Amino acid sequence: MKGIYLAGCYPDADTFTRSSAAVAEAGFDFLEVGIPFNDPIADGPVIAGAIHESLARGVSPLDVMENIESLRHIPIKKYVMTYANIIHAYGIPEFSERMAGLLEGVIIPDIPNRMAGLFLEKGFGLPIVPFATLETRESDMALINESQSEIIYFVGVRGITGSNSDFTAPELVDKIRMIRDNTDKKVIIGFGIKTGSDARQACALGDGYVVGTEAVMRQKKPEALKAYLRSLI
C-alpha cells in the first residue's frame, strides 16, 4: 500500500482537492489528510510550517472535515492524521459519526496504543491506526493486533517527519521482520521516505509507505506534486 500525506485545506480547499485527485490519479492506494493543530509534536518544519500557515489563515478542523467530505468522488482510501484534542473538542462520537464511510481509520500520534481503548470506550467508532517503532517488542504485538485498523504505521526513524532513514540498517530490518511475523496487518513505513529509491526499499521491507514532507513541499503547486508522485511509483 502506497500513500501520500497532504495537509488539509492547504494552501486552500480547491488546491488541496486538486492535489488529492492527483494522488489518486498517480495510482496511490491511500491519502492521509492532516488536520491543523497548533502543537504538531510529530511534525518536522515543513509540515509544521504548512499547518501553522493554515491556522494563521483561519482554517479550522471543521473546514478540513468538509473538504474531506468533498472528496467522496475521488477513488482512494482516506485516513486522517490529527491530535487527541481536536477530536475531543469536536466530540469523540460525533467526529467518528461524521467521518463514518469516508475514512479507513484515524492516526492520532499523541495517543499511545495502550490508550486507544479510552477513545473507543467513549464512543469512537473509527479504527485507530496503531503505531510501531524501533522500540516495539514482540510482547507489544498483542495490543497492536487488537486494533480494527488494516494497517500498522511504522515510524522508521527516531525523530520527526522529514528525517532521513537508513533502510539497510540491521535494527530497522530486524524490527520490521519481527512485526510482520507477528501480525496479519499491513506494515506501512512512514518518516524518511523521500525518493523513488526510498519508496522501493520501503516496499521491499514492509507492505508499503507513506510520504509526507516531500509531498507537502510541493502541495501549493499540483503540477509539481504530480511530477514528484510519478518519481515514486
Side-chain angles (χ1 to χ4, degrees):
M1 289 180 68
K2 304 176 181 69
I4 295 292
Y5 169 98
L6 296 177
C9 288
Y10 178 74
D12 53 66
D14 179 66
T15 305
F16 169 79
T17 299
R18 288 191 288 133
S19 294
S20 299
V23 173
E25 290 165 5
F28 285 81
D29 302 294
F30 69 92
L31 175 69
E32 180 185 342
V33 181
I35 295 181
F37 182 56
N38 59 11
D39 187 21
I41 57 172
D43 294 320
V46 171
I47 294 177
I51 293 298
H52 288 305
E53 185 178 327
S54 294
L55 290 171
R57 289 194 298 107
V59 172
S60 69
L62 182 58
D63 293 328
V64 178
M65 293 167 74
E66 290 175 347
N67 211 172
I68 292 170
E69 288 170 334
S70 75
L71 303 181
R72 290 179 185 273
H73 65 288
I74 297 178
I76 190 171
K77 293 182 177 181
K78 304 169 188 76
Y79 292 83
V80 151
M81 197 292 286
T82 191
Y83 292 84
N85 278 357
I86 295 291
I87 298 173
H88 191 272
Y90 187 87
I92 290 174
E94 290 82 2
F95 183 96
S96 59
E97 287 168 8
R98 179 160 187 169
M99 294 287 98
L102 297 172
L103 301 179
E104 303 298 319
V106 180
I107 301 160
I108 314 175
D110 57 345
I111 293 186
N113 293 333
R114 67 181 184 278
M115 302 296 288
L118 296 179
F119 261 49
L120 302 178
E121 289 170 6
K122 293 182 178 181
F124 197 73
L126 294 170
I128 298 176
V129 176
F131 283 95
T133 70
L134 292 166
E135 275 66 48
T136 296
R137 301 159 298 183
E138 189 169 339
S139 59
D140 298 322
M141 293 305 300
L143 178 60
I144 288 173
N145 285 328
E146 287 180 7
S147 170
Q148 296 301 306
S149 170
E150 70 169 326
I151 68 171
I152 296 170
Y153 193 114
F154 182 81
V155 180
V157 300
R158 293 184 177 92
I160 54 177
T161 58
S163 303
N164 293 316
S165 185
D166 180 1
F167 296 100
T168 64
E171 180 185 29
L172 179 67
V173 173
D174 291 346
K175 188 65 63 173
I176 293 175
R177 182 180 296 118
M178 182 278 289
I179 293 168
R180 295 183 79 191
D181 285 346
N182 287 278
T183 190
D184 293 327
K185 300 182 186 299
K186 299 182 187 302
V187 180
I188 305 301
I189 302 172
F191 291 43
I193 315 292
K194 296 183 177 183
T195 67
S197 176
D198 292 337
R200 288 186 289 275
Q201 290 182 76
C203 286
L205 278 177
D207 300 296
Y209 62 83
V210 58
V211 174
T213 294
E214 295 292 324
V216 173
M217 284 176 64
R218 298 162 173 83
Q219 194 174 329
K220 286 186 175 181
K221 299 180 179 180
E223 291 304 316
L225 177 63
K226 289 179 183 179
Y228 174 68
L229 295 175
R230 288 194 293 269
S231 76
L232 295 173
I233 296 294

